[in-house]
Amino acid sequence: MRIGELSRRTGVSVPTIKFYVREGLLPAGRLTSPNQAAYEETHVRRLRLIRALIDVGGMSVAAVGEVIAAVDDPGRPVHELLGEAAHRMVPRYGDGSPGDDDEGEGAGPGSAEARKRVEALLDERGWHGYPESPAGQALAVALTALESVGHGRFAEVLDVYADAAERVARVDLEYVAHHVAREELVESVAVGTALGDAVFAALRRLAHTDASYRLFGREGEGEGGGGAEGEGERETGRAEGA
């Protein structure tokens, strides 16, 4: 196919496709004449991967280039390849972020106490990870922020969160494992991480609503006949019957 068709199939403009070629993100097409090049299905898959990493994963072009280099390295194990993609989607800390501690050996984002808590969590659960990883640093910064606003006790439920994270992670990787091509694996991680985070956050909010009602919402049922939620249901019924 020519570049115009490649653009139509992927939704990526011709100038952007040429930019990706110049940046080394997309292989050049096969020259069929001095001014014409032919593109294959591999170019379609690569463009979809690039757009998934940028649009869904929120990566910079430079970060995408590093992930693409890992994809194109046949000697890179799948575990490292997926880690490269996932780590690029975690916020980086250490340049004036809240709780940065630049004193002492092993200093880094978050307070020293929070970093020790992250290290202990990994050890206790036997997780194959490092406190200095982007995710480990992000967790340390979050714990430090909780402590700074007077909610340090939140760390007491960290294991409950970790239990849920393990279950979700297993489901994520079982979904990713259905893909064979390396590009499809990375795309699944990018899309699954970004949109999976959004799905999980939405589910958590819905669960919060239910838990809040079960814990606090029935306090006024005897007087008001069901509280705010009951009133909302009655309003809906009246609207439907109108």
Side-chain angles (χ1 to χ4, degrees), residues 6-228:
L6 179 62
S7 175
R8 287 191 297 274
R9 288 189 56 184
T10 60
V12 181
S13 69
V14 170
T16 300
I17 292 174
K18 292 180 178 180
F19 170 72
Y20 292 155
V21 172
R22 289 196 303 271
E23 292 296 311
L25 303 182
L26 182 71
R30 175 176 52 83
L31 286 177
T32 56
S33 70
N35 298 317
Q36 294 288 342
Y39 297 87
E40 311 293 337
E41 288 298 322
T42 55
H43 292 90
V44 174
R45 289 197 298 269
R46 175 58 59 89
L47 273 175
R48 287 174 177 165
L49 171 60
I50 293 169
R51 295 314 307 179
L53 294 175
I54 293 175
D55 296 339
V56 181
M59 294 187 191
S60 66
V61 170
V64 171
E66 295 182 14
V67 174
I68 292 297
V71 171
D72 290 338
D73 180 2
R76 183 74 67 95
V78 171
H79 171 67
E80 292 184 8
L81 174 62
L82 299 183
E84 180 74 29
H87 287 171
R88 293 291 170 185
M89 299 177 65
V90 178
R92 295 302 202 268
Y93 297 98
D95 298 321
S97 298
D100 275 5
D101 180 358
D102 297 326
E103 298 180 0
E105 183 178 354
S111 68
E113 182 179 350
R115 294 198 302 274
K116 289 179 181 178
R117 182 68 185 89
V118 173
E119 184 174 5
L121 175 74
L122 295 176
D123 288 341
E124 291 165 4
R125 303 191 73 89
W127 283 1
H128 297 281
Y130 302 94
E132 301 81 11
S133 68
Q137 292 180 347
L139 179 56
V141 168
L143 293 176
T144 301
L146 284 166
E147 182 69 37
S148 70
V149 296
H151 288 276
R153 289 185 61 239
F154 192 87
E156 296 175 7
V157 300
L158 199 57
D159 277 328
V160 179
Y161 273 69
D163 287 339
E166 279 189 353
R167 294 178 62 187
V168 172
R170 281 196 294 270
V171 172
D172 286 345
L173 270 297
E174 287 170 0
Y175 171 78
V176 168
H178 292 156
H179 300 279
V180 178
R182 290 167 67 88
E183 288 181 319
E184 293 179 348
L185 283 170
V186 174
E187 181 180 1
S188 296
V189 168
V191 174
T193 299
L195 297 186
D197 285 352
V199 169
F200 192 75
L203 288 170
R204 186 184 179 210
R205 302 297 182 273
L206 291 170
H208 278 168
T209 300
D210 178 70
S212 175
Y213 174 72
R214 293 175 186 277
L215 286 172
F216 310 115
R218 296 174 179 173
E219 293 176 356
E221 282 189 358
E223 300 176 1

